[in-house]
Amino acid sequence: HTTMDVASSQYKDVLPDEPTLEEAEDDQQVLDDMKKARDVAVSYYEYNNMSDWTLHTDKNGVVLYTRPYEGSDIMMIKVTTEINVPAVEGLKFLRDGDNWISFNETIDSYKDLKKIDISNKYTYLLGKSLFIVSARDAVQFESEIELEDDSYIRVLMGIKDDRFSRESDSAVELDVNIHCYHFEPIDDNKCKVTKIIHASPGGSIPSSTVNWLVGANHDQFVKLKEVLEK
């Protein structure tokens, strides 16, 4: 199962034209990754509009929902809030790996591997080991997409690519099916932020344990809101 399986053409109207080889710095692999990220953005809309989301947590101005994910025992997560910053400022905040660490305490390090341009890059994420659970890591392609409605989607896409090596010998590789942040302007100084994610941590962690920990996504959004509104 891939996110492209649920991509619906009706949502492509809000996306810009497909990326070109010139925009990908004449690198076909980069262009392929940019196109895949665009497909993931389409899937974000498809998932966001599904009717089977179940409320999990609603407090501190942040709402978290879950739904089943096809072919997996691990729940898909949607978390949303309103933040008193312009949408573009929220988007820019996520360009810096150090900023991710400021609101997500499970991240040990987050570094750029290769920048294509201001909107597209390859990164490496290493999580912390917790108790008896070993660390998780991922090589990612990240792409910012400006939509026709003046909102922005940041796609984070796990990749397996010979050009980039995972830097930890002991970490278990994350399997990320979809991971998107959507920044929608409410007015000049306020935006709605929505994250949709489904990921498998790999290894031997039971799915019941993973599902029990979904509330951490709520707490991270509370912290993100606090950091951005400082």
Side-chain angles (χ1 to χ4, degrees):
H1 180 88
T2 70
T3 54
M4 292 176 67
D5 294 335
V6 297
S8 171
S9 61
Q10 64 179 306
Y11 298 110
K12 291 189 176 180
D13 292 342
V14 300
L15 272 78
D17 293 337
E18 286 205 354
T20 64
L21 190 58
E22 182 180 3
E23 291 171 328
E25 304 287 318
D26 294 319
D27 186 321
Q28 185 61 50
Q29 183 59 60
V30 173
L31 179 60
D32 290 345
D33 288 335
M34 289 173 71
K35 287 181 176 180
K36 288 176 186 176
R38 189 178 186 276
D39 286 335
V40 173
V42 174
S43 295
Y44 162 86
Y45 274 94
E46 183 81 6
Y47 283 124
N48 193 34
N49 286 283
M50 287 183 174
S51 60
D52 58 349
W53 289 102
T54 299
L55 178 65
H56 181 281
T57 307
D58 181 358
K59 63 180 181 180
N60 298 323
V62 175
V63 186
L64 184 146
Y65 304 88
T66 61
R67 64 172 296 277
Y69 185 80
E70 301 79 0
S72 174
D73 292 329
I74 295 172
M75 301 298 284
M76 175 175 263
I77 296 165
K78 176 168 75 171
V79 55
T80 185
T81 190
E82 294 182 359
I83 301 180
N84 292 310
V85 295
V88 69
E89 291 303 315
L91 183 78
K92 289 178 180 178
F93 180 80
L94 294 186
R95 289 177 183 164
D96 186 334
D98 289 339
N99 289 341
W100 287 81
I101 296 171
S102 72
F103 69 91
N104 187 338
E105 62 182 15
T106 69
I107 297 175
D108 183 72
S109 63
Y110 199 131
K111 61 186 290 187
D112 292 347
L113 297 176
K114 180 181 179 181
K115 286 189 177 182
I116 308 305
D117 56 29
I118 196 169
S119 299
N120 299 279
K121 64 179 178 178
Y122 294 90
T123 59
Y124 176 74
L125 168 69
L126 177 64
K128 296 177 181 176
S129 57
L130 303 171
F131 304 109
I132 60 172
V133 178
S134 58
R136 264 55 185 171
D137 72 346
V139 174
Q140 304 178 122
F141 178 71
E142 301 189 24
S143 184
E144 295 174 4
I145 302 171
E146 183 174 359
L147 306 176
E148 299 295 334
D149 60 2
D150 296 325
S151 69
Y152 304 87
I153 288 184
R154 184 173 192 87
V155 175
L156 300 98
M157 191 172 70
I159 62 168
K160 295 175 175 61
D161 193 315
D162 292 340
R163 293 175 298 167
F164 308 107
S165 60
R166 294 167 54 220
E167 298 183 11
S168 172
D169 294 329
S170 59
V172 177
E173 188 172 14
L174 284 169
D175 183 10
V176 181
N177 290 301
I178 184 169
H179 189 189
C180 295
Y181 283 76
H182 188 201
F183 294 86
E184 301 173 86
I186 295 173
D187 58 36
D188 289 345
N189 295 296
K190 189 174 187 178
C191 65
K192 178 181 179 182
V193 186
T194 303
K195 178 178 83 167
I196 288 181
I197 185 170
H198 183 270
S200 170
S204 57
I205 303 176
S207 57
S208 57
T209 301
V210 178
N211 291 331
W212 181 69
L213 294 170
V214 298
N217 288 269
H218 173 275
D219 298 342
Q220 289 163 16
F221 249 52
V222 171
K223 184 66 174 177
L224 174 65
K225 181 178 171 71
E226 290 175 356
V227 171
L228 279 171
E229 290 183 343
K230 277 185 179 177

